[in-house]
Amino acid sequence: MTPNEFREHGHALIDWIATYRETIEERAVSRSIKPGSIRAALPKAPPRQAESVCDIMADFDSILLPGVMHWQHPSFFGFFPSNVELSSVLGDLLSTGLGMVGISWEASPALTELEETCVDWMRQMLGLGPAWRGAIQESASASTLIAIVCARERYYGRTYPLGGGRQPAEPGVVYTSARAHSSVNKTAMIAGFGVEHIRIVPTQPGGSLDTKILRAMIEEDIARGARPAAIVATTGATADTAMDDIDAVAEVAQEWGVWLHVDAAMGGAAMLLPEYRPGWEGIERADSIVVSPNKWLGAAFDSSLMFVRDHQHLIKVMGTNPSYLRTPTDGQVTQLRDWSIPTGRRFRALKLWFLIREQGVDGLSRRIRRDLANARRLAQLVEAEPEWRVLNNITLQTVCVRHEPPGVSGADLDEHTRAWVQALNESGKAYLTAAQVDGAWMARVSIGVLGTQWHHIEALWADMRSHAGQHAARLALAA
Ligand SMILES: Cc1ncc(COP(=O)(O)O)c(C=O)c1O
C-alpha cells in the first residue's frame, strides 16, 4: 500500500470509526452468534491475489461486525469498562504508524522517555509517593506474573543474598484472597509455585481478605516446613469490587518480610480521587502494584501499569544484556526491556499521553466521580425494590444484585438469576455478566462506559425488572 492509498483508506477508516462511535447506541449491544458461524463465513484459505481495501471492509461489515460485542456501547454493563477515549485511539494509531520497536533506549529514545514520564504522571495522579517507579505492561496478568517472579527471586535469594547467601530449604508459599482475580493463581503456577503452595485465604463479610486467617495459615505453613514468599491483595475484586485492607495485609507481610503485590487493575482508577484514597491506606508499604488505565480510565488496551518500590531488584530479576543490544548509553538510561517479559515494546505511552493531555486530570476525575455516584444511585433504587437485593458494598462502580422471588432459593435461584441475565443479554438492549460469589450466582452491573449516563442506567433497571419478572412468572406457572 502506498502512502497515498493509505491516506485515502485511512481517512475513510477514521470516518468509519467516528460514525461507529456516534451511532453506537442504534446497535444491539451484542447479538447471539452460533459458535463457528463466523469462521464458516470466512474463506478457508488465504487469497492468492491481492484484494482491495474496499472488499476487505465490506467483509468486515457483513461478516465480522455482527459478531462484535460493543464494549463502548453506553448500555454495556458487562465484565468491566474497557474504555477507549478517541484521543487514545489516535495515540495508538500513531504508535502503529510509526512502527518502532523499543528494544533499547537507543532504539527510540522518545519511546522510553515518554513512557517514564507518563508512568510518573500516573504515579502522581494516583497519589503514590516518589519512590515508586514503573513501566507499561501488556496486561494486569503479566504485571502480576512479574511481581510474583520478583517475590520468588527475593524469597529464594537468587538475586539478593538472603541471610548471607543462604537459600531457604523451605518451599515458598503465595497467599491471596478467595476474591482475587484468576490471574493470581495462574501466574503463581507459571512462576513455579505448585498448587500445594498457593493458598486461598477466606474473606470477611464485605469481601476483604481475612488477615486473622491469613496469619493462621502462615503459621500453619511454617509449622509444616514451608514459608511465606508472596501475598497478593486486591483493590477492587473482579466479581464484586471488594477491597482488601491493604494496611492490615501489609502488617502481616512486614511481620514475615514477604513481598506484597497489590492488584488494583480495576480499582486503581478510583485513586485519582483523593476522597477514595483511604481505601488504599498502607499502599506505600507494598512492594508492587498494578493499575490498568485500559479498563475504566480510557486508555486503549493494552496499557497496564506496574509500579515497583525497588526497581533495582526488578531489573536484576528481569534484566538481560545481550551483545547485540549493547549501546554507548548503557548505564545512563532506562532499558525498558529489563522491566517486562517481551524484549521489544510498542510506543504504548502515546495512547496514555494523548488521553491524559486531552482529558486533563480534572476531566478524568469528573468521569470517574460520575460513575461512582451512578453506582450508588442504582444501589438505592435496587434496595428500595421488594424482592431485589444489593449484595456488595458499593466501593466502586459495580452493583451486584439478585432478584429473589418468594419461595425460590438455592439452585433454583441460581438458575433464575442466570436465565433472566441471559434473556436480557439476548434482547440486545444491554449487556450484563453474572458471576458467583460465595458459591451463589448474582448479576453484576458494571457501570463506567464513557457514554453511560444516568438515563441508560434507568433504562437498564427497567429491563432488569422486566426480564426477571417475566422469568419469575414462568417459574411460578411451572410450580
Ligand atoms: C482485579 C483484576 N485483576 C486482573 C485482571 C486481569 O486483567 P488482564 O486481562 O489485563 O490481565 C482483571 C480483569 O478483569 C481484574 O479485574
Side-chain angles (χ1 to χ4, degrees), residues 154 173 175 218 228-231 252-260 287:
R154 190 167 86 178
V173 183
Y175 302 82
I218 291 176
I231 304 174
V252 180
Q254 219 154 22
E255 215 168 289
W256 276 281
V258 184
W259 186 285
L260 172 59
D287 294 284

Side-chain angles (χ1 to χ4, degrees), residues 258-328:
V258 184
W259 186 285
L260 172 59
H261 175 61
V262 177
D263 177 355
M266 179 62 206
M271 301 308 155
L272 245 67
L273 312 180
E275 67 269 28
Y276 269 76
R277 292 194 194 138
W280 237 12
E281 208 186 312
I283 195 69
E284 293 295 329
R285 301 165 78 185
D287 294 284
S288 54
I289 312 170
V290 56
V291 175
S292 296
N294 61 245
K295 293 191 190 298
W296 190 9
L297 201 67
F301 193 81
D302 51 347
S303 182
S304 260
L305 305 184
M306 186 207 180
F307 293 97
V308 280
R309 176 164 278 295
D310 178 358
H311 70 277
Q312 295 299 349
H313 176 65
L314 171 75
I315 291 168
K316 279 184 189 150
V317 173
M318 304 291 293
T320 55
N321 192 19
S323 57
Y324 43 81
L325 291 179
R326 284 188 205 147
T327 60

Side-chain angles (χ1 to χ4, degrees), residues 240-257:
D240 65 348
T241 65
M243 315 268 278
D244 288 338
D245 179 342
I246 305 297
D247 208 37
V249 179
E251 195 64 39
V252 180
Q254 219 154 22
E255 215 168 289
W256 276 281

